[in-house]
Structure formats: C-alpha cells, structure tokens
Amino acid sequence: MAKQILRFADIDDIENRLIALSDGTIEELYRFGGLMVSEVQQRASHLDSKLTGILGWSVATLAFLLFDGKISGLHGFGKVPVFIATATALTSVIVSFLGLKTTMWPAPSEQDWFREDLLEHTEMLKRYHIVSMLNVHQQQGFKNARKADTLRTAEILLTLTAIVIAGI
C-alpha cells in the first residue's frame, strides 16, 4: 500500500492572493474551508476507531499468548514461534497506543475568531478566517498522515502475529 501523498498549498501565497479575490469567491472558499476542516476531523476519528480496534485485538492476542496453558507447555524450539508472536503482538500494542495517545488538535483560537484589528472589516476578517482554517487543515492533515502510518504498521504487526500463531 502506498503512502498517502499530501499536497498542501503555500499559506503565505494564499494569504497574499486572497486580497484580490471577489467577495463571491471568498464566500465559496470560506464555505469550502469549513467543509475541509470538518472532513479532516472526521478522518482523524475514523483512524482513531481503527487504531482502537487494532489495540483491542493486539491486547487480546497478547493475553492469549501469555496466559494460554497449551502454549506454555511447549519446549525448546517450540517456544520460538511463541516468542516471535508475543514480540509482534506487544509491538502492535505499543504502536497502536502511540497512534492513539492524546494530543491537542490544532484549532482556530479565539484570537483568530475575534481578531481585534479586523473586527470593523468584515470581508478582511473572513479572508483571515480562511487562512486560519487552511492552517488548521494542514496541521491536522500532517497528524492524520502520521496516524495512518502508525495504523498501517500496527495492522502489519498484528497480521504477522496471526500468521505465526497459525503455525504453532
């Protein structure tokens, strides 16, 4: 599976170009910016749900490997697959946890919302809000890409664990 390709706009360039755009174009960019911020937040929730599922399966598999009586009765080289499966399951738990750990998501601040020097200039304030939404979208996009990479790694580790267990 190929990595997600992120193609972000240059915020400074966009900010400079917004000044010359018509009010109708600004309105459309503002509306679409809200849609894009909502989409990137939904994607983060979807990734978190998948990571939670992988974490649950990894913990259950690890518990099975550590506490199942039949496996503990293996001797010699019979323990090698158990050790490998345990190591990959534990690594999957760690990777899933790291993907899920709580972080502060970027969001426009109240200072962005009520930018003092633009309160009397509605159209300039709306242009500034577009730039704020673009910045939030880009920051969350980067975090989602890292989260997706973490998910991919945890899925591979859990799959390897299942393959090794199937061979025991």
Side-chain angles (χ1 to χ4, degrees):
M1 184 185 309
K3 279 191 158 192
Q4 178 180 350
I5 298 172
L6 301 175
R7 300 178 314 161
F8 291 118
D10 181 337
I11 292 178
D12 293 331
D13 179 51
I14 296 297
E15 189 170 14
N16 291 330
R17 292 173 62 197
L18 285 175
I19 295 168
L21 297 177
S22 71
D23 291 346
T25 302
I26 292 300
E27 193 63 40
E28 176 59 20
L29 290 172
Y30 186 83
R31 184 194 64 74
F32 193 74
L35 176 74
M36 293 295 287
V37 169
S38 176
E39 179 274 331
V40 80
Q41 290 170 337
Q42 287 176 6
R43 187 175 297 190
S45 293
H46 184 69
L47 289 167
D48 281 344
S49 293
K50 285 185 146 196
L51 276 164
T52 301
I54 294 292
L55 178 62
W57 278 103
S58 299
V59 168
T61 303
L62 189 60
F64 169 76
L65 288 166
L66 293 175
F67 299 112
D68 183 56
K70 292 181 231 171
I71 292 176
S72 61
L74 296 174
H75 300 288
F77 286 114
K79 288 188 175 187
V80 171
V82 175
F83 175 76
I84 292 169
T86 303
T88 56
L90 179 60
T91 306
S92 182
V93 167
I94 292 167
V95 169
S96 299
F97 169 77
L98 291 175
L100 283 169
K101 70 180 181 165
T102 304
T103 58
M104 283 297 293
W105 285 95
S109 69
E110 290 183 0
Q111 291 293 324
D112 291 330
W113 190 13
F114 296 101
R115 184 157 168 192
E116 197 65 39
D117 59 331
L118 297 177
L119 284 177
E120 300 296 321
H121 310 283
T122 306
E123 290 307 315
M124 290 305 294
L125 184 61
K126 191 173 277 189
R127 285 168 169 80
Y128 180 74
H129 288 165
I130 290 169
V131 173
S132 293
M133 286 188 285
L134 176 60
N135 187 32
V136 165
H137 182 266
Q138 287 185 3
Q139 290 179 42
Q140 288 184 341
F142 281 123
K143 286 187 177 210
N144 282 349
R146 282 193 300 262
K147 200 174 277 277
D149 290 342
T150 303
L151 175 61
R152 188 176 303 111
T153 301
E155 287 171 337
I156 290 168
L157 288 165
L158 186 58
T159 302
L160 288 173
T161 302
I163 290 168
V164 173
I165 289 173
I168 296 177

